[in-house]
Each structure stands twice: as C-alpha cells, then as structure tokens.
Amino acid sequence: SMDGAPTPASPAGLSAYVAVSQLLGLTLLATTGAWLGRYRGGVAWHSPLQFNVHPLCMVLGMVFLQGDALLVYRVFRHEAKRSTKVLHALLHGLALVIALVGIIAVFESHRTKGIPDMYSLHSWCGMAAFMLYLLQWLLGCGFFLLPGASFSLRGWYKPQHVFFGIALFVLSIAACLLGITEMLLFNIRDSYSHFVPEGVLANTLGVMLVAFGLVVGYVLTRDDWKRPPLAEELALSMDFKTLTEDESPGGGS
C-alpha cells in the first residue's frame, strides 16, 4: 500500500496551463467590468443599466465558472473522486444560477424599454446553450451523483456527458462573441469602423474569450493529463461491477 507516500505532483505543463487559464479568466472579468463601467454607464438592477448585468453574468457564469468546472478533474487529480465530482457539480450549478440572473436581466430590461426578445442569432444560440447546459447538469447529477444508475448505464452515458460538456462550453463562448458584436453594432454602429477605444476594448475581450476557450480545451483534451484513477477507485469499481453485472455472485460467501 502507498500509505504515507507523498501525493504525486501534477505534470508541470498542466500546472502552467491551468495558471494561464485562471489569469485569462480573471482578466476576462476585469475587461468586461471595464467595458461596462467605462463606456456603458456601469451595472445596476432596477434601472436603465439593468441590461449591463447580462453580459457580466454571462461571462462570469457561462464562460469563467463553466470553464473552471470542466477543469476540476484535471486540477484535483489525487483527491477523492466523490468530492471532486461534487465540486464539479457545484461549480456548474453556480454558473447556471448566475447565468439565470443574466437572462432575467435582459428580459426585464427589454420589457421595460419595449425591445423585442429572442429574434437574433445571439439570443437563439445563447438560449440553446443555457437550456442544454441545464439539461446536461440535471442528467449529470442523475447519472453520477444520485445513487441508482447502474455501472453499465454510467459507462454508456459518460462519453456523451464529456463530449457535450466541451461542446456546450464552445457554444457558450460563441454566443458571447455574437453578443459582443451585437452590442457594439447597437451602441456604436457609426464609429465602430474608426477603431474607437470601446470597439477595440470589446474586440480584445472577444479575442480573450477565444484564448480562454483554447487553453481550457487544450487541458481537457490532452490524454496524459486526464485524471488517473486512484487505487481504491479501481478496486471499488471492480467490486461494484461484480455486484451489478454478475448474474451469480460466485461462492455465495
């Protein structure tokens, strides 16, 4: 047994990439705040500034927190699987709540100002991302957190959960890019083409969103950075498999 053995270190490259992702993520939030504060009058709830809650919540929830929730299994490589799983679900859940606040903000703001809803490509992609993200979260909790899903059912669902997790992260970033473009065309249509500071800042935010997505995507898709199963997990899953798959638990002991 490995009792008392030091925890194996994470691969050096992994730590560097994760650090870069967090730096990018925090810069994203600061840039979004700077754009809204400097050029869009700031953020407030029941006021004409309510709309600005929307981009801030979407970048925080659907990009930064969603990205971090995806990284949990790479970062916490040697912690118990169960607690890592719970953290993964909690971060996604928090992202959903924040995104919901952002969605309510835009609908209320539109209603107050008499602006129509859900006609743009941004709103279609954004709403699809949110609804599918909610579905993915509910399915993930049902299959992996609640007792009752059989080993074979989990095994069948897991590759789909992993693929759609990355796909929804990509879709969320795409929706943000569409939203930034839409916001610039609504607000500075006439001066955007003259490289005004607001346009350059918002474009830079878009480029950073793409960079954050690429860094997180790279970490997630590198095979040698995947979470190694702990010894007790391997033993447990074999026991579990024997219990759930075998017609006759041999020997009846």
Side-chain angles (χ1 to χ4, degrees):
S1 108
M2 299 266 296
D3 290 352
T7 307
S10 288
L14 171 62
S15 306
Y17 267 89
V18 169
V20 169
S21 77
Q22 297 314 288
L23 203 61
L24 269 170
L26 293 170
T27 311
L28 270 179
L29 292 173
T31 308
T32 307
W35 177 22
L36 298 172
R38 176 89 177 71
Y39 297 104
R40 294 288 122 224
V43 171
W45 192 253
H46 286 301
S47 89
L49 297 175
Q50 186 173 16
F51 174 85
N52 293 346
V53 174
H54 176 73
L56 190 62
C57 283
M58 289 350 236
V59 170
L60 174 57
M62 296 297 288
V63 179
F64 184 54
L65 286 176
Q66 183 177 179
D68 274 7
L70 296 177
L71 290 174
V72 157
Y73 287 110
R74 303 293 175 274
V75 174
F76 300 102
R77 306 166 63 73
H78 308 289
E79 279 68 24
K81 181 77 172 271
R82 175 87 189 168
S83 44
T84 313
K85 214 184 266 190
V86 168
L87 179 61
H88 178 74
L90 280 174
L91 281 173
H92 279 308
L94 183 60
L96 272 165
V97 170
I98 291 171
L100 182 61
V101 171
I103 290 172
I104 292 168
V106 73
F107 277 108
E108 283 199 357
S109 163
H110 281 180
R111 201 179 62 227
T112 312
K113 294 176 180 171
I115 299 170
D117 290 312
M118 295 305 301
Y119 65 88
S120 69
L121 181 58
H122 163 67
S123 63
W124 288 19
C125 290
M127 193 55 85
F130 178 77
M131 299 306 288
L132 291 169
Y133 188 41
L134 176 60
L135 178 65
Q136 164 95 341
W137 186 75
L138 292 170
L139 285 171
C141 288
F143 276 98
F144 302 119
L145 276 180
L146 299 176
S150 74
F151 198 79
S152 53
L153 205 57
R154 283 180 178 188
W156 165 82
Y157 176 62
K158 191 182 171 188
Q160 288 159 88
H161 184 74
V162 169
F163 170 78
F164 283 105
I166 295 179
L168 287 172
F169 179 57
V170 172
L171 179 58
S172 300
I173 290 174
C176 285
L177 298 180
L178 289 167
I180 290 169
T181 303
E182 196 173 292
M183 203 163 148
L184 289 171
L185 291 177
F186 278 138
N187 290 318
I188 58 164
R189 184 185 285 114
D190 300 328
S191 58
Y192 189 19
S193 60
H194 301 306
F195 289 90
V196 290
E198 179 177 357
V200 173
L201 182 69
N203 285 359
T204 305
L205 171 61
V207 171
M208 285 193 302
L209 282 161
V210 172
F212 180 72
L214 290 172
V215 173
V216 171
Y218 181 72
V219 172
L220 291 176
T221 50
R222 245 188 85 160
D223 271 346
D224 53 331
W225 288 354
K226 286 195 165 57
R227 185 181 192 275
L230 306 177
E232 60 265 29
E233 277 167 41
L234 285 172
L236 217 129
S237 74
M238 286 316 296
D239 291 348
F240 189 55
K241 208 165 181 160
T242 312
L243 282 171
T244 51
E245 311 283 299
D246 274 17
E247 282 75 41
S248 59
S253 55

